[in-house]
Short mmCIF file of all heavy atoms in Angstrom, two decimals:
data_model
loop_
_atom_site.label_atom_id
_atom_site.label_comp_id
_atom_site.label_asym_id
_atom_site.label_seq_id
_atom_site.Cartn_x
_atom_site.Cartn_y
_atom_site.Cartn_z
N THR A 57 -250.55 -1.04 -95.80
CA THR A 57 -251.40 0.16 -95.86
C THR A 57 -252.17 0.42 -94.57
O THR A 57 -252.99 1.34 -94.52
CB THR A 57 -252.39 0.03 -97.04
OG1 THR A 57 -253.05 -1.23 -96.95
CG2 THR A 57 -251.67 0.11 -98.37
N LYS A 58 -251.90 -0.37 -93.54
CA LYS A 58 -252.59 -0.18 -92.25
C LYS A 58 -252.48 1.27 -91.77
O LYS A 58 -251.42 1.88 -91.93
CB LYS A 58 -251.99 -1.12 -91.19
CG LYS A 58 -250.54 -0.81 -90.84
CD LYS A 58 -249.92 -1.86 -89.93
CE LYS A 58 -248.49 -1.46 -89.58
NZ LYS A 58 -247.69 -2.59 -89.06
N THR A 59 -253.56 1.76 -91.23
CA THR A 59 -253.75 3.13 -90.72
C THR A 59 -253.87 4.20 -91.82
O THR A 59 -254.27 5.31 -91.54
CB THR A 59 -252.65 3.62 -89.72
OG1 THR A 59 -251.45 3.94 -90.45
CG2 THR A 59 -252.35 2.59 -88.65
N PHE A 60 -253.54 3.87 -93.05
CA PHE A 60 -253.67 4.87 -94.13
C PHE A 60 -255.03 4.72 -94.83
O PHE A 60 -255.59 3.62 -94.88
CB PHE A 60 -252.52 4.72 -95.13
CG PHE A 60 -251.19 5.11 -94.56
CD1 PHE A 60 -250.31 4.16 -94.09
CD2 PHE A 60 -250.86 6.45 -94.43
CE1 PHE A 60 -249.08 4.52 -93.53
CE2 PHE A 60 -249.64 6.83 -93.87
CZ PHE A 60 -248.75 5.86 -93.42
N PRO A 61 -255.57 5.82 -95.36
CA PRO A 61 -256.93 5.79 -95.92
C PRO A 61 -257.02 5.01 -97.24
O PRO A 61 -256.02 4.81 -97.92
CB PRO A 61 -257.25 7.27 -96.15
CG PRO A 61 -255.93 7.94 -96.30
CD PRO A 61 -254.97 7.17 -95.42
N ALA A 62 -258.24 4.62 -97.56
CA ALA A 62 -258.50 3.89 -98.81
C ALA A 62 -258.02 4.71 -100.00
O ALA A 62 -257.59 4.14 -101.01
CB ALA A 62 -259.99 3.57 -98.93
N SER A 63 -258.07 6.05 -99.91
CA SER A 63 -257.62 6.88 -101.03
C SER A 63 -256.13 6.63 -101.33
O SER A 63 -255.72 6.65 -102.50
CB SER A 63 -257.88 8.36 -100.74
OG SER A 63 -257.28 8.73 -99.52
N ASP A 64 -255.33 6.38 -100.29
CA ASP A 64 -253.91 6.05 -100.52
C ASP A 64 -253.77 4.69 -101.22
O ASP A 64 -252.91 4.51 -102.09
CB ASP A 64 -253.14 5.99 -99.19
CG ASP A 64 -252.79 7.37 -98.65
OD1 ASP A 64 -253.10 8.38 -99.31
OD2 ASP A 64 -252.21 7.43 -97.54
N VAL A 65 -254.63 3.76 -100.84
CA VAL A 65 -254.56 2.43 -101.47
C VAL A 65 -254.94 2.54 -102.95
O VAL A 65 -254.34 1.90 -103.81
CB VAL A 65 -255.46 1.41 -100.73
CG1 VAL A 65 -255.23 0.01 -101.29
CG2 VAL A 65 -255.20 1.43 -99.23
N ALA A 66 -255.92 3.39 -103.23
CA ALA A 66 -256.33 3.60 -104.63
C ALA A 66 -255.17 4.21 -105.44
O ALA A 66 -254.93 3.82 -106.60
CB ALA A 66 -257.56 4.50 -104.69
N ILE A 67 -254.43 5.13 -104.83
CA ILE A 67 -253.26 5.71 -105.51
C ILE A 67 -252.23 4.62 -105.79
O ILE A 67 -251.69 4.52 -106.91
CB ILE A 67 -252.64 6.85 -104.65
CG1 ILE A 67 -253.57 8.07 -104.63
CG2 ILE A 67 -251.25 7.24 -105.18
CD1 ILE A 67 -253.15 9.15 -103.63
N LEU A 68 -251.98 3.77 -104.79
CA LEU A 68 -251.01 2.67 -104.98
C LEU A 68 -251.44 1.78 -106.13
O LEU A 68 -250.63 1.39 -106.98
CB LEU A 68 -250.90 1.84 -103.69
CG LEU A 68 -250.15 2.52 -102.54
CD1 LEU A 68 -250.43 1.82 -101.22
CD2 LEU A 68 -248.64 2.53 -102.82
N ALA A 69 -252.73 1.47 -106.19
CA ALA A 69 -253.23 0.59 -107.26
C ALA A 69 -252.99 1.24 -108.63
O ALA A 69 -252.59 0.58 -109.58
CB ALA A 69 -254.70 0.28 -107.05
N SER A 70 -253.19 2.56 -108.69
CA SER A 70 -253.01 3.26 -109.96
C SER A 70 -251.53 3.32 -110.35
O SER A 70 -251.19 3.55 -111.51
CB SER A 70 -253.59 4.67 -109.90
OG SER A 70 -252.73 5.52 -109.16
N LEU A 71 -250.64 3.10 -109.37
CA LEU A 71 -249.20 3.09 -109.64
C LEU A 71 -248.69 1.66 -109.86
O LEU A 71 -247.48 1.42 -109.88
CB LEU A 71 -248.45 3.76 -108.48
CG LEU A 71 -248.73 5.26 -108.31
CD1 LEU A 71 -248.21 5.76 -106.96
CD2 LEU A 71 -248.09 6.08 -109.44
N GLY A 72 -249.60 0.71 -109.96
CA GLY A 72 -249.21 -0.65 -110.31
C GLY A 72 -249.05 -1.62 -109.16
O GLY A 72 -248.68 -2.77 -109.37
N VAL A 73 -249.33 -1.16 -107.95
CA VAL A 73 -249.24 -2.08 -106.80
C VAL A 73 -250.45 -3.01 -106.80
O VAL A 73 -251.59 -2.57 -107.01
CB VAL A 73 -249.20 -1.27 -105.47
CG1 VAL A 73 -249.37 -2.18 -104.26
CG2 VAL A 73 -247.90 -0.49 -105.39
N THR A 74 -250.21 -4.30 -106.59
CA THR A 74 -251.32 -5.26 -106.53
C THR A 74 -251.45 -5.95 -105.18
O THR A 74 -252.49 -6.49 -104.86
CB THR A 74 -251.17 -6.36 -107.61
OG1 THR A 74 -249.90 -6.98 -107.43
CG2 THR A 74 -251.26 -5.78 -109.00
N GLU A 75 -250.37 -5.97 -104.38
CA GLU A 75 -250.40 -6.66 -103.09
C GLU A 75 -250.38 -5.62 -101.98
O GLU A 75 -249.43 -4.84 -101.87
CB GLU A 75 -249.17 -7.57 -102.94
CG GLU A 75 -249.06 -8.67 -103.97
CD GLU A 75 -250.03 -9.83 -103.72
OE1 GLU A 75 -250.40 -10.10 -102.56
OE2 GLU A 75 -250.41 -10.47 -104.72
N VAL A 76 -251.43 -5.62 -101.15
CA VAL A 76 -251.47 -4.69 -100.02
C VAL A 76 -251.75 -5.47 -98.74
O VAL A 76 -252.40 -6.52 -98.77
CB VAL A 76 -252.52 -3.57 -100.22
CG1 VAL A 76 -252.10 -2.65 -101.35
CG2 VAL A 76 -253.91 -4.13 -100.47
N ALA A 77 -251.23 -4.96 -97.63
CA ALA A 77 -251.36 -5.70 -96.37
C ALA A 77 -251.95 -4.82 -95.28
O ALA A 77 -251.64 -3.63 -95.17
CB ALA A 77 -249.99 -6.21 -95.93
N GLU A 78 -252.79 -5.44 -94.48
CA GLU A 78 -253.50 -4.77 -93.39
C GLU A 78 -253.36 -5.60 -92.12
O GLU A 78 -253.12 -6.81 -92.21
CB GLU A 78 -255.00 -4.66 -93.75
CG GLU A 78 -255.28 -3.69 -94.89
CD GLU A 78 -255.31 -2.24 -94.41
OE1 GLU A 78 -255.59 -2.01 -93.22
OE2 GLU A 78 -255.04 -1.35 -95.24
N ASN A 79 -253.56 -4.96 -90.95
CA ASN A 79 -253.41 -5.76 -89.73
C ASN A 79 -254.64 -5.76 -88.82
O ASN A 79 -254.60 -6.34 -87.75
CB ASN A 79 -252.17 -5.34 -88.95
CG ASN A 79 -252.33 -4.00 -88.28
OD1 ASN A 79 -253.18 -3.20 -88.68
ND2 ASN A 79 -251.53 -3.73 -87.28
N ARG A 80 -255.73 -5.09 -89.22
CA ARG A 80 -256.95 -5.13 -88.40
C ARG A 80 -258.15 -5.46 -89.27
O ARG A 80 -258.37 -4.82 -90.30
CB ARG A 80 -257.20 -3.77 -87.74
CG ARG A 80 -256.28 -3.51 -86.58
CD ARG A 80 -256.37 -2.04 -86.20
NE ARG A 80 -255.39 -1.76 -85.16
CZ ARG A 80 -255.71 -1.44 -83.90
NH1 ARG A 80 -256.97 -1.33 -83.53
NH2 ARG A 80 -254.76 -1.21 -83.02
N ASP A 81 -258.94 -6.43 -88.80
CA ASP A 81 -260.08 -6.91 -89.58
C ASP A 81 -261.04 -5.78 -89.97
O ASP A 81 -261.38 -5.63 -91.15
CB ASP A 81 -260.82 -7.99 -88.79
CG ASP A 81 -262.13 -8.39 -89.44
OD1 ASP A 81 -262.09 -8.87 -90.59
OD2 ASP A 81 -263.19 -8.20 -88.82
N GLN A 82 -261.45 -5.01 -88.98
CA GLN A 82 -262.50 -4.02 -89.26
C GLN A 82 -262.05 -2.96 -90.27
O GLN A 82 -262.76 -2.63 -91.21
CB GLN A 82 -262.93 -3.36 -87.95
CG GLN A 82 -264.29 -2.72 -88.06
CD GLN A 82 -264.71 -2.05 -86.76
OE1 GLN A 82 -264.15 -2.34 -85.70
NE2 GLN A 82 -265.67 -1.16 -86.85
N GLU A 83 -260.84 -2.46 -90.06
CA GLU A 83 -260.29 -1.44 -90.96
C GLU A 83 -260.13 -2.01 -92.38
O GLU A 83 -260.51 -1.38 -93.37
CB GLU A 83 -258.94 -0.98 -90.41
CG GLU A 83 -258.24 0.04 -91.28
CD GLU A 83 -256.82 0.36 -90.76
OE1 GLU A 83 -256.52 0.08 -89.59
OE2 GLU A 83 -256.03 0.89 -91.56
N ALA A 84 -259.59 -3.21 -92.47
CA ALA A 84 -259.31 -3.81 -93.78
C ALA A 84 -260.59 -4.13 -94.53
O ALA A 84 -260.69 -3.92 -95.74
CB ALA A 84 -258.48 -5.08 -93.59
N ARG A 85 -261.56 -4.66 -93.78
CA ARG A 85 -262.84 -5.04 -94.39
C ARG A 85 -263.48 -3.84 -95.09
O ARG A 85 -263.94 -3.92 -96.22
CB ARG A 85 -263.76 -5.55 -93.28
CG ARG A 85 -264.98 -6.24 -93.77
CD ARG A 85 -265.95 -6.64 -92.65
NE ARG A 85 -265.40 -6.63 -91.30
CZ ARG A 85 -266.12 -6.29 -90.23
NH1 ARG A 85 -267.37 -5.93 -90.34
NH2 ARG A 85 -265.58 -6.31 -89.03
N GLY A 86 -263.44 -2.68 -94.42
CA GLY A 86 -264.02 -1.47 -94.99
C GLY A 86 -263.28 -1.01 -96.24
O GLY A 86 -263.89 -0.67 -97.26
N LYS A 87 -261.95 -1.03 -96.18
CA LYS A 87 -261.17 -0.59 -97.35
C LYS A 87 -261.37 -1.54 -98.52
O LYS A 87 -261.51 -1.11 -99.67
CB LYS A 87 -259.68 -0.53 -96.99
CG LYS A 87 -259.30 0.61 -96.07
CD LYS A 87 -257.78 0.61 -95.92
CE LYS A 87 -257.37 1.24 -94.61
NZ LYS A 87 -255.93 1.11 -94.35
N ALA A 88 -261.36 -2.84 -98.24
CA ALA A 88 -261.51 -3.82 -99.32
C ALA A 88 -262.88 -3.66 -99.98
O ALA A 88 -263.00 -3.76 -101.21
CB ALA A 88 -261.33 -5.23 -98.77
N ALA A 89 -263.90 -3.37 -99.19
CA ALA A 89 -265.24 -3.19 -99.76
C ALA A 89 -265.28 -1.93 -100.62
O ALA A 89 -265.83 -1.91 -101.73
CB ALA A 89 -266.29 -3.12 -98.64
N GLU A 90 -264.67 -0.85 -100.10
CA GLU A 90 -264.67 0.42 -100.82
C GLU A 90 -263.92 0.33 -102.15
O GLU A 90 -264.28 0.98 -103.12
CB GLU A 90 -264.04 1.49 -99.92
CG GLU A 90 -264.19 2.90 -100.45
CD GLU A 90 -263.63 3.93 -99.47
OE1 GLU A 90 -263.55 3.64 -98.25
OE2 GLU A 90 -263.27 5.03 -99.94
N LEU A 91 -262.88 -0.51 -102.19
CA LEU A 91 -262.02 -0.59 -103.38
C LEU A 91 -262.25 -1.89 -104.15
O LEU A 91 -261.38 -2.33 -104.92
CB LEU A 91 -260.55 -0.48 -102.96
CG LEU A 91 -260.20 0.81 -102.19
CD1 LEU A 91 -258.76 0.77 -101.70
CD2 LEU A 91 -260.42 2.05 -103.07
N ALA A 92 -263.43 -2.46 -104.01
CA ALA A 92 -263.70 -3.80 -104.55
C ALA A 92 -263.46 -3.88 -106.06
O ALA A 92 -263.17 -4.95 -106.58
CB ALA A 92 -265.13 -4.22 -104.22
N GLY A 93 -263.57 -2.77 -106.78
CA GLY A 93 -263.40 -2.82 -108.23
C GLY A 93 -261.95 -2.86 -108.69
O GLY A 93 -261.69 -3.08 -109.87
N LEU A 94 -261.00 -2.65 -107.78
CA LEU A 94 -259.59 -2.56 -108.18
C LEU A 94 -258.91 -3.93 -108.11
O LEU A 94 -259.27 -4.76 -107.28
CB LEU A 94 -258.85 -1.57 -107.27
CG LEU A 94 -259.36 -0.12 -107.34
CD1 LEU A 94 -258.59 0.76 -106.36
CD2 LEU A 94 -259.23 0.43 -108.76
N PRO A 95 -257.91 -4.17 -108.98
CA PRO A 95 -257.23 -5.47 -109.00
C PRO A 95 -256.21 -5.61 -107.86
O PRO A 95 -255.01 -5.60 -108.08
CB PRO A 95 -256.54 -5.49 -110.37
CG PRO A 95 -256.28 -4.05 -110.66
CD PRO A 95 -257.40 -3.26 -110.02
N LEU A 96 -256.73 -5.69 -106.63
CA LEU A 96 -255.85 -5.76 -105.47
C LEU A 96 -255.98 -7.12 -104.79
O LEU A 96 -257.06 -7.70 -104.77
CB LEU A 96 -256.24 -4.67 -104.46
CG LEU A 96 -255.93 -3.24 -104.86
CD1 LEU A 96 -256.66 -2.26 -103.94
CD2 LEU A 96 -254.43 -2.98 -104.81
N ARG A 97 -254.87 -7.59 -104.23
CA ARG A 97 -254.90 -8.77 -103.37
C ARG A 97 -254.60 -8.31 -101.95
O ARG A 97 -253.59 -7.65 -101.72
CB ARG A 97 -253.88 -9.81 -103.83
CG ARG A 97 -254.36 -10.63 -105.04
CD ARG A 97 -253.25 -11.48 -105.61
NE ARG A 97 -252.55 -12.22 -104.58
CZ ARG A 97 -252.99 -13.40 -104.07
NH1 ARG A 97 -254.07 -13.97 -104.54
NH2 ARG A 97 -252.30 -14.00 -103.12
N TRP A 98 -255.49 -8.65 -101.03
CA TRP A 98 -255.41 -8.18 -99.66
C TRP A 98 -254.76 -9.23 -98.77
O TRP A 98 -255.23 -10.36 -98.74
CB TRP A 98 -256.80 -7.83 -99.13
CG TRP A 98 -257.42 -6.68 -99.87
CD1 TRP A 98 -258.14 -6.75 -101.02
CD2 TRP A 98 -257.35 -5.29 -99.52
NE1 TRP A 98 -258.51 -5.48 -101.41
CE2 TRP A 98 -258.05 -4.57 -100.51
CE3 TRP A 98 -256.76 -4.57 -98.46
CZ2 TRP A 98 -258.20 -3.17 -100.47
CZ3 TRP A 98 -256.91 -3.19 -98.43
CH2 TRP A 98 -257.61 -2.51 -99.43
N GLN A 99 -253.70 -8.84 -98.07
CA GLN A 99 -253.04 -9.74 -97.14
C GLN A 99 -253.35 -9.31 -95.71
O GLN A 99 -253.35 -8.12 -95.41
CB GLN A 99 -251.51 -9.69 -97.34
CG GLN A 99 -251.06 -10.09 -98.73
CD GLN A 99 -249.59 -10.48 -98.77
OE1 GLN A 99 -248.88 -10.43 -97.76
NE2 GLN A 99 -249.12 -10.89 -99.93
N MET A 100 -253.60 -10.29 -94.84
CA MET A 100 -253.78 -10.02 -93.42
C MET A 100 -252.48 -10.33 -92.71
O MET A 100 -252.01 -11.48 -92.74
CB MET A 100 -254.91 -10.88 -92.86
CG MET A 100 -255.10 -10.77 -91.34
SD MET A 100 -255.30 -9.04 -90.80
CE MET A 100 -255.98 -9.29 -89.16
N ILE A 101 -251.85 -9.31 -92.08
CA ILE A 101 -250.56 -9.54 -91.42
C ILE A 101 -250.66 -9.38 -89.91
O ILE A 101 -249.66 -9.52 -89.20
CB ILE A 101 -249.46 -8.58 -91.96
CG1 ILE A 101 -249.87 -7.12 -91.80
CG2 ILE A 101 -249.13 -8.91 -93.42
CD1 ILE A 101 -248.77 -6.13 -92.14
N GLY A 102 -251.85 -9.05 -89.39
CA GLY A 102 -251.99 -8.87 -87.94
C GLY A 102 -252.56 -10.11 -87.29
O GLY A 102 -253.08 -11.01 -87.96
N GLN A 103 -252.43 -10.17 -85.97
CA GLN A 103 -252.96 -11.32 -85.25
C GLN A 103 -254.48 -11.41 -85.45
O GLN A 103 -255.16 -10.40 -85.41
CB GLN A 103 -252.63 -11.21 -83.76
CG GLN A 103 -252.16 -12.56 -83.26
CD GLN A 103 -251.71 -12.53 -81.81
OE1 GLN A 103 -252.08 -11.64 -81.05
NE2 GLN A 103 -250.91 -13.51 -81.45
N VAL A 104 -254.95 -12.62 -85.72
CA VAL A 104 -256.38 -12.82 -85.98
C VAL A 104 -257.03 -13.43 -84.75
O VAL A 104 -256.63 -14.51 -84.29
CB VAL A 104 -256.59 -13.75 -87.20
CG1 VAL A 104 -258.08 -13.90 -87.48
CG2 VAL A 104 -255.87 -13.21 -88.43
N GLN A 105 -258.02 -12.74 -84.19
CA GLN A 105 -258.83 -13.31 -83.11
C GLN A 105 -259.69 -14.39 -83.71
O GLN A 105 -260.18 -14.25 -84.83
CB GLN A 105 -259.76 -12.24 -82.53
CG GLN A 105 -259.10 -10.91 -82.31
CD GLN A 105 -258.44 -10.85 -80.96
OE1 GLN A 105 -259.12 -10.88 -79.96
NE2 GLN A 105 -257.13 -10.80 -80.95
N ARG A 106 -259.94 -15.45 -82.92
CA ARG A 106 -260.69 -16.55 -83.48
C ARG A 106 -262.09 -16.10 -83.93
O ARG A 106 -262.59 -16.56 -84.95
CB ARG A 106 -260.80 -17.69 -82.47
CG ARG A 106 -260.87 -19.00 -83.22
CD ARG A 106 -261.35 -20.18 -82.41
NE ARG A 106 -260.75 -20.32 -81.08
CZ ARG A 106 -260.98 -21.38 -80.32
NH1 ARG A 106 -261.74 -22.36 -80.76
NH2 ARG A 106 -260.46 -21.45 -79.12
N ASN A 107 -262.70 -15.19 -83.18
CA ASN A 107 -264.06 -14.75 -83.56
C ASN A 107 -264.08 -13.80 -84.76
O ASN A 107 -265.13 -13.40 -85.23
CB ASN A 107 -264.79 -14.13 -82.35
CG ASN A 107 -264.12 -12.85 -81.87
OD1 ASN A 107 -263.05 -12.48 -82.36
ND2 ASN A 107 -264.74 -12.17 -80.93
#
Side-chain angles (χ1 to χ4, degrees):
T57 51
K58 65 188 182 198
T59 76
F60 292 100
S63 55
D64 282 358
V65 187
I67 290 170
L68 287 164
S70 76
L71 294 167
V73 169
T74 56
E75 298 284 331
V76 292
E78 290 280 334
N79 72 339
R80 285 167 185 248
D81 171 61
Q82 200 180 342
E83 178 186 341
R85 193 185 344 145
K87 288 185 206 173
E90 190 176 336
L91 302 174
L94 297 178
L96 290 167
R97 281 171 48 84
W98 295 86
Q99 300 199 358
M100 175 54 164
I101 57 172
Q103 224 175 21
V104 182
Q105 316 273 293
R106 211 196 314 187
N107 64 354

